[in-house]
Amino acid sequence: MAEEAPKTTTTATTQEVEAKEEVVVTDVSPADKTDTSVPVEKDTEEPKPESEPEKKPVEETPETEVSKPSGDEKIPESDEDGAKTVEAIEETVVAVAATEKKASTEEEATKEEASPPLQPEEVSIWGVPLLADERSDVILLKFLRARDFKVKDAFTMIKNTIRWRKEFKIDELLEEDLGDDLEKAVYMHGFDKEGHPVCYNIYGEFQNKELYKKTFSDEEKRHKFLRWRIQFLEKSIRKLDFNPGGICTIVQVNDLKNSPGPGKWELRQATKQALDLLQDNYPEFVAKQVFINVPWWYLAVNRMISPFLTQRTKSKFVFAGPSKSAETLLRYIAPEQLPVKYGGLSKDGEFGITDAVTEITVKPAAKHTVEFPVTENCLLSWELRVIGWDVSYGAEFVPSSEGSYTVIIQKARKVASSEDPVLCSNYKIGEPGKVVLTIDNSSSKKKKLLYRLKTKPTSSD
């Protein structure tokens, strides 16, 4: 009679494994009393019959330990069966795990093949779909230049800009009505000599206490100002030409006349917030930064920060005091495009920005004449100004016929600097001749003369 297996040993026969659809196993050891369950499918590799036992040494592992008998001690048959069963179960579990892992991998691969590839999200910046046409090259080049052509840094900047535009809700912002209280403080007007649109920032408008309080008195109002400023810039940018070779930058003119000064911390804070956003999210949109009517304290501050600016940035900055502001602007902007208040001839009236202006420099203690020959009946109109005036001006019509008399249109008189900056005149001409304008500069300084004219045919009386 076979020796009865000790109760403290867990055993299982091969027949019992075959009879069950599930085999119960985890940390199996002959000395274990407690079983934990791992399901094993029926169609996995079956253990070999007991009649043909596989004589395989049992490895000693932390999970499975089989104690060896000492001396001539006989191994109980039930213990042999238990050891064989453990080996069979271990092999089965390993096989099942490998099969399941392979099946899982194949299933995931099948799903990946079956599911359609994710379409990239279409992203647009300033109305230009990125990577959709050649305009994208111009956009991407701006980010590269802003990061000194370091591709990784430029790519990070683009990602941050796209994220910020979503958070700031730029598309919705473009449709918002934020009022027109600031239309005199910031506005677009004309183009420079290279075709860049020009934006004027008039800081003196904030001397108006009511406007200042309405715009900067608390955080909510300053945030609204910031949204208005970004909205204004977005609308201006969308008028630019992003095609290769097109004009895609703006000239900024900053008028500091009557600026509130450094004591207005609310204005400084709002301006700093705006500048930070512009630097981070609007790269390479400034063709030139021209500061006019600059007070002494601003020049002092600029000298302090100038060493920390890159040469590329400093090359875009131009500063001019009150006496040099008009002269400086006329270096970059044609007189017909420059507003009258800044030394040009651009204003509402008979002449427009398409009517070209002639510029003449009148030397000190010199006289200059301008002649308009006329061969047919017409109405001759002209605009004229001398920057800073303080010169004598006169106009007359000289007929071509020897028997005719000269007609005084404007008797020569001294024009003070406080008078209207632009003189507009016209004269109806009924015979061939010429209109002569005379500028007498008796001062010790050279003067800039600007004028233009046009004729309109008239019927003879």
Side-chain angles (χ1 to χ4, degrees), residues 93-129:
V93 171
V94 171
V96 170
T99 304
E100 288 180 347
K101 184 175 181 181
K102 182 178 179 181
S104 176
T105 304
E106 292 177 352
E107 183 179 354
E108 289 178 1
T110 305
K111 286 182 179 179
E112 289 180 0
E113 293 177 359
S115 60
L118 295 175
Q119 295 298 323
E121 179 184 358
E122 183 176 301
V123 177
S124 295
I125 301 182
W126 307 301
V128 177

Side-chain angles (χ1 to χ4, degrees), residues 133-139 141 241-248:
D133 55 43
E134 60 184 3
R135 293 178 299 169
S136 298
D137 296 343
V138 177
I139 299 291
L141 187 58
D241 182 7
F242 288 106
N243 289 298
I247 301 297
C248 60

Side-chain angles (χ1 to χ4, degrees), residues 305-319:
I305 66 174
S306 181
F308 302 99
L309 302 176
T310 64
Q311 186 59 41
R312 178 178 176 82
T313 299
K314 287 191 286 188
S315 67
K316 296 181 179 182
F317 283 68
V318 178
F319 297 90

Side-chain angles (χ1 to χ4, degrees), residues 170 173 226-234 278 282:
I170 294 295
L173 178 62
L226 187 64
R227 290 182 63 78
W228 178 88
R229 192 64 183 84
I230 295 298
Q231 182 194 65
F232 180 88
L233 180 60
E234 283 283 333
L278 298 184
Y282 295 88

